[in-house]
Amino acid sequence: MRIVVCLKGVGDPQAARYDFVRREVVDLSPIVNPLDLVALEEGLRLRERHGGEVTALTCGLPSAAWVLRRALTTGVDKGVLVETEAEEFFTVASVLAAAVRRIGCDLLLCGARSADTAQEIVGTATAELLGLPLVTRAVRIETTAGKQTLRVYKKIPKGKREVYEVELPAVISLEEGANVPRYVAILSKTYVRGIERPVERMSLKELGMTGARLHSGVHTLRITAPKPRVQVGVSVTGLSPAQKLQLLMGGGQKRGEEKEILSGSPERAARRLVERLREWLTDASPPSSA
Amino acid sequence: MATEVWGFVEGVELAGKMATEVVRLAHLTSALPCVVLENGRERGQEGEMGTYGVEKVYTLAPVGHTPEEHTQALETLLSSYQPYACLFAASALGAEVAARLAVRLRRGLVTGCLDFALEEGRLVARRSIYGGKAQATVTWQSESPHLATVDMGIMEAIPASRVAQIQMVKWEAISSGSPPRVRHVETVRLPREEVDLGEVRGVIGVGGGVKEVGEMRLIYDLAALLDLPVGGSRVADERGLIPRARRIGMSGTSLAADVYIAVGISGATYHLMGVKNVKHIVAINTDSGAPILEVAELGIIADFREVIPAVIDRLHAKP
C-alpha cells in the first residue's frame, strides 16, 4: 500500500497565551500537529501489517522541512516539502492535492483538524479536489483480507461509532484516540537512519501550479482574548445586583439555576432521582455487542 | 424576495438550537429565517420550527446516510435559491458537508462559529483558536451564500415570543446515479466498559465516601441498570476503586456528559474542574457542607448505601 500522510507544523496550544499588549498569540513553540502524528502512526502501522511505503508530505516555507525530519525519524520512507507561502485552506488543499497526484498513493491520511486554527477543512477539501472517497474523524481503520476496501470507524458523540466501508484509493482523517503515536528515542537506529534521509523539495512550478493564490473567501480581521458567547433571552428579574453583575461579566452564561436538596427518607430521594434521570438521560438506546 | 438565512437541521436533538441560531442571524441581517429539514429523518419537525420563529422550511427528500450524498443534494438546493448564508452544525456530518460545499461552490467557510455580528455592514463571526486561548474574528469575502458551521455545544434553543407562519418548500434531491463510494455499514455504540468518559451522555463517579472495593458492587449494579460507565475522584483511584484511566478532574478526564452522579464525592476543586461542562449534576453525600452540593442540581444528603438500593428497586419496579 502506498500511503501519504499530510503533516503541519503548529504553535503548541498548551504553551500558547494571548498577549494583551501585543494583541496576538505568543509563546508558540513549534510542534507537529498532534492529530497529524496520529495519522502518521496509523500509516506506519498499516505499513507494518501490509507492506508498502509511507511518504510524509507538508507544504509551507522552506523552513517547514523540520516537520518532515521529525516524521523521518519515526521511520517513514520519504519526506516531501512543497514550497509555498500560502496559508489559506483553499490554496493549501490545492497544493496538497497536486502533490499527492504527483507522488501517487492508495491511501491519504491526515489529522482531522489542526491544533492551532482547528478549521477542519483542509483534509476534506483535499479529498474533494482529488475526487477521492473520504471518511473523516476516524478512530479505527481495519483492512479486509484480499479486498481493496477498508472498514473505518468514525467517531460521533455519546460513545457511538459510524462504521463505513470505503474503496481504495481513499482519504481518511484521524481523530484523537485512534492510537498513541510511537516515541522514537534519539540516537536509536530508526532515528539515526531517518535523520540522515534527505527531504525532497517540490516547487509549485513543478506541480504545474502558477503560484497564484486561490482565494479562500474568508479573511481574519483580528485576534482577541477569549470571551464567552453573549446569550440572548436570559432573564435577570429576581436576581440580586451581584448576580446581575456576575451574569454581565460572564457574557450571560449561567447554570444550576434550579437547585433541589433532599434529605431524610432514602425512598423519597430515590424516587426523585429516578424521575430526574428519566428526564435527563433521554437517549437510552442499548449498546451494541461490538 | 427577501434574502434568506438557512440552517441545515441535523437530527431532532439539535433542531431547536439550529432554529434559534438561524432566527438570531436572520434578525441581525434582516433576512428571512429558514431551515432545511431532511424529510424522513426529521419528519414532523416542520410545525415545531415555527415556535422558534422560523418562517420557511425546505424539506429534502431522503438523501442517504453519507456526507457525500448530503453534499450533492444541498449543492443543487443552494445553487437554486442562493441564500445569504447557510449554517451547519460543527458535527462530523456538518463539518464535512460544509467543507465540500465550500470547494464545490467556491464560497468562503468559517467553521466552529461562536457568534455572529455585523461590522460596517459586513457579516463577521468569532471562532476559537489555539484550543480556546484566543479568538479570531473572521469575515467572508466571497459572494453569498456565506457558509458557516456553528458550535452547537454552546447554543441554546429559545422559543420565539410569537409563533411564525411557516412557508413550505419541498425539494426532490437529484441522485447522481452512481452508488456512493463510501458505504455506511452500521452505527454501533461502545459498551460502557470501553467507552471514554469524555464522550458519554452520563457518568457515575465515586469518591472518598466509598470506603472499600466491596461497596463498588452496589455502584456497578446501578451502572449496569442505567448503562453508564463508572469513574471517580483522585481518592477513589488511589484507593484502587477505579482504574487510573477512569479518574475525573484536572489530572484525569474532563466530562461533557448530560448527567453526572457523584457518589460520596466531596468535590475538591481539581475534581470539579473535570465536571464543569456537565449539564446536570446529582450528588449523593452524607455531608451537607460538601462543596459538590454547590454545583449539584439535585443534592441528596444521605448515605449512598441506603439510597442506591432504593434507586435500584425503583428502576427494577417500572420499565
Side-chain angles (χ1 to χ4, degrees), chain A residues 110-137:
Chain A
C110 60
R113 70 192 71 74
S114 64
D116 50 359
T117 56
Q119 295 195 86
E120 201 172 352
I121 302 177
V122 170
T124 302
T126 308
E128 183 71 31
L129 291 168
L130 286 167
L132 292 179
L134 161 78
V135 181
T136 61
R137 299 191 185 183

Side-chain angles (χ1 to χ4, degrees), chain A residues 45-244:
Chain A
R45 289 186 190 183
L46 284 167
R47 184 185 68 180
E48 279 158 16
R49 291 204 300 266
H50 304 282
E53 64 174 40
V54 177
T55 304
L57 170 67
T58 194
C59 68
L61 300 174
S63 57
W66 71 268
V67 174
L68 299 173
R69 292 210 187 86
R70 166 79 173 77
L72 285 167
T73 59
T74 64
V76 305
D77 301 280
K78 207 163 76 171
V80 178
L81 167 67
V82 186
E83 292 180 8
T84 169
E85 286 177 8
E87 286 184 338
E88 287 175 297
F89 71 79
F90 203 91
T91 318
V92 170
S94 309
V95 169
L96 292 175
V100 168
R101 272 201 199 98
R102 167 65 63 87
I103 297 163
C105 81
D106 304 305
L107 181 61
L108 177 62
L109 300 174
C110 60
R113 70 192 71 74
S114 64
D116 50 359
T117 56
Q119 295 195 86
E120 201 172 352
I121 302 177
V122 170
T124 302
T126 308
E128 183 71 31
L129 291 168
L130 286 167
L132 292 179
L134 161 78
V135 181
T136 61
R137 299 191 185 183
V139 282
R140 194 159 127 198
I141 302 175
E142 289 171 356
T143 47
T144 34
K147 276 196 285 183
Q148 279 288 32
T149 59
L150 295 176
R151 205 173 233 270
V152 188
Y153 291 70
K154 173 183 192 150
K155 185 173 176 177
I156 57 170
K158 312 236 163 128
K160 290 187 196 165
R161 305 286 181 262
E162 284 175 349
V163 188
Y164 287 99
E165 237 166 46
V166 57
E167 282 167 39
L168 294 178
V171 182
I172 297 174
S173 81
L174 276 300
E175 182 61 280
E176 210 181 313
N179 59 47
V180 179
R182 67 193 59 193
Y183 170 75
V184 180
I186 288 186
L187 300 183
S188 67
K189 249 186 211 161
T190 319
Y191 186 94
V192 172
R193 223 179 284 144
I195 207 87
E196 286 168 351
R197 263 184 221 135
V199 166
E200 202 177 299
R201 286 169 199 265
M202 275 185 197
S203 67
L204 292 182
K205 219 168 165 188
E206 280 172 73
L207 292 174
M209 298 180 77
T210 56
R213 293 164 75 108
L214 303 158
H215 209 275
S216 293
V218 292
H219 174 66
T220 300
L221 296 169
R222 59 182 176 274
I223 307 292
T224 51
K227 219 172 55 180
R229 167 186 159 91
V230 178
Q231 301 284 329
V232 287
V234 178
S235 164
V236 293
T237 45
L239 295 182
S240 69
Q243 284 169 320
K244 279 182 195 167

Side-chain angles (χ1 to χ4, degrees), chain B residues 210-233:
Chain B
V210 181
K211 298 288 184 213
E212 48 188 294
V213 179
E215 289 172 345
M216 286 301 286
R217 171 170 294 183
L218 200 54
I219 308 289
Y220 281 114
D221 283 350
L222 180 66
L225 272 173
L226 293 171
D227 190 28
L228 299 179
V230 176
S233 66

Side-chain angles (χ1 to χ4, degrees), chain B residues 86-306:
Chain B
C86 186
L87 307 184
F88 298 86
S91 60
L93 178 68
E96 183 177 339
V97 170
R100 283 179 181 275
L101 288 170
V103 173
R104 289 191 193 183
L105 303 169
R106 293 285 162 98
R107 292 295 187 271
L109 163 64
V110 181
T111 57
C113 297
L114 302 168
D115 55 15
F116 301 93
L118 278 189
E119 281 180 11
E120 292 157 17
R122 65 187 172 185
L123 185 67
V124 301
R126 264 192 321 151
R127 63 188 307 278
S128 268
I129 55 171
Y130 291 99
K133 295 270 180 79
Q135 288 172 350
T137 302
V138 188
T139 189
W140 285 260
Q141 290 184 320
S142 54
E143 284 169 45
S144 57
H146 297 335
L147 303 175
T149 70
V150 288
D151 183 347
M152 300 311 276
I154 57 162
M155 305 283 165
E156 280 179 281
I158 305 168
S161 47
R162 186 180 64 88
V163 176
Q165 196 68 36
I166 298 243
Q167 191 186 335
M168 297 280 298
V169 178
K170 278 201 191 310
W171 184 261
E172 282 298 321
I174 301 145
S175 158
S176 64
S178 57
R181 295 164 301 174
V182 177
R183 195 172 69 82
H184 177 246
V185 183
E186 58 180 336
T187 299
V188 298
R189 187 141 81 77
L190 297 180
R192 64 176 183 280
E193 295 83 9
E194 279 175 37
V195 74
D196 187 78
L197 292 184
E199 54 169 316
V200 287
R201 69 207 165 97
V203 177
I204 299 176
V206 294
V210 181
K211 298 288 184 213
E212 48 188 294
V213 179
E215 289 172 345
M216 286 301 286
R217 171 170 294 183
L218 200 54
I219 308 289
Y220 281 114
D221 283 350
L222 180 66
L225 272 173
L226 293 171
D227 190 28
L228 299 179
V230 176
S233 66
R234 188 179 56 83
V235 182
D237 175 13
E238 284 168 356
R239 226 172 249 175
L241 301 176
I242 52 161
R244 183 67 232 269
R246 293 308 205 190
R247 192 196 275 197
I248 299 161
M250 261 294 257
S251 55
T253 312
S254 278
L255 306 186
D258 292 339
V259 179
Y260 179 55
I261 306 174
V263 180
I265 288 180
S266 61
T269 313
Y270 286 122
H271 180 72
L272 294 183
M273 302 272 282
V275 301
K276 66 179 194 298
N277 293 325
V278 175
K279 277 192 207 132
H280 311 284
I281 296 176
V282 179
I284 305 175
N285 208 306
T286 47
D287 176 9
S288 60
I292 188 93
L293 292 166
E294 298 276 317
V295 296
E297 200 171 330
L298 177 60
I300 297 172
I301 301 164
D303 190 339
F304 76 90
R305 296 170 194 85
E306 292 173 11

